[in-house]
Every structure is written in structure tokens, then in C-alpha cells.
Amino acid sequence: MASTTKSINSPKMSSNIPTDMINLRLILVSGKTKEFLFSPNDSAADIAKHVYDNWPMDWEEEQVSSPNILRLIYQGRFLHGNVTLGALKLPLGKTTVMHLVARETLPEPNSQGQRNREKTGESNCCVIL
């Protein structure tokens, strides 16, 4: 993880985002937010570990027991631990919003497609006339 990773404490700082970093605004289920700076090379697992190690004081009620259960959600999808911010093509020098949740396991990659098929009534079976 980049040694330049840090928390942004004031709204004024968010306009001074380094052009080689990504500012993540993380939102908890409770609605509390905090901004952190990360390198494009940082992975979802790196981010979870950093946030766990630097848990904000005002998030004390939501403290988790391990960084391994922290999950990032971006554009409605859970990010797997090895995906980097650069791989997501997030804009450098800008703020990107993600949700941060405590969850033991991730859904299977194709479970969303299965759920969509169930909603639309689409199936993989044949009809013989």
C-alpha cells in the first residue's frame, strides 16, 4: 500500500486531491462518511486493511473485529480483494464514492445474473410443443 495514503479530515482538503491519487469517500450503512486517499495500485484488500488500522473516531459504534470482513461496494457490485483502483479506471485527482460494509463472504460472481433471470422469468429449460 502506498505510504502516502491518509485520511482527509476537512472538506476544504478534498479540493486539494493530489493528481496521482484517488480520493475515496467511504459510506457506512449508518450513513457516516469518511474520505481517504489511495494510490491506483491499492487493492480492495489494501483499502480494507488501511481503514481498519485507521478506523475513524466517529465510526466507533460500527467498529469491526477484523479487516477481513470489510467489503467495498462500487456501482452496486462487491469488489474482490485483489482488484485495484486502477483496474476500475477510477479518475485520478477526483473523489469516488464507495460503500463499506461488514460481511463475512461475498456473493458468487454469477449470483446477480441468476437473480435477474428469476425476476424476469427467464430460464434455461426447453419447451417442447
Side-chain angles (χ1 to χ4, degrees):
M1 182 169 23
S3 59
T4 55
T5 303
K6 61 182 178 179
S7 295
I8 294 182
N9 295 320
S10 72
K12 292 178 188 170
M13 277 187 69
S14 62
S15 62
N16 297 326
I17 302 166
T19 58
D20 62 340
M21 301 291 281
I22 296 166
N23 186 49
L24 284 189
R25 179 177 298 138
L26 300 179
I27 304 174
L28 298 180
V29 173
S30 66
K32 293 179 182 177
T33 65
K34 190 71 169 179
E35 294 185 6
F36 297 89
L37 285 175
F38 292 100
S39 156
N41 298 323
D42 287 329
S43 69
D46 294 334
I47 294 164
K49 174 100 173 76
H50 177 78
V51 172
Y52 178 81
D53 291 344
N54 298 279
W55 199 258
M57 297 279 284
D58 57 332
W59 287 8
E60 194 173 324
E61 292 175 15
E62 290 88 356
Q63 179 70 52
V64 295
S65 59
S66 165
N68 299 330
I69 64 169
L70 289 175
R71 307 288 184 216
L72 292 168
I73 302 173
Y74 177 61
Q75 295 185 339
R77 295 180 183 218
F78 283 95
L79 300 182
H80 288 270
N82 58 352
V83 68
T84 64
L85 297 179
L88 296 171
K89 297 186 176 16
L90 301 183
L92 296 175
K94 304 279 185 194
T95 298
T96 297
V97 176
M98 291 190 186
H99 288 85
L100 182 70
V101 298
R103 184 173 175 152
E104 293 288 336
T105 59
L106 288 176
E108 290 299 317
N110 63 356
S111 65
Q112 186 65 38
Q114 178 64 34
R115 203 171 314 134
N116 287 343
R117 281 193 293 277
E118 290 168 2
K119 283 182 186 174
T120 60
E122 184 182 312
S123 69
N124 293 331
C125 58
C126 304
V127 176
I128 300 176
L129 300 175

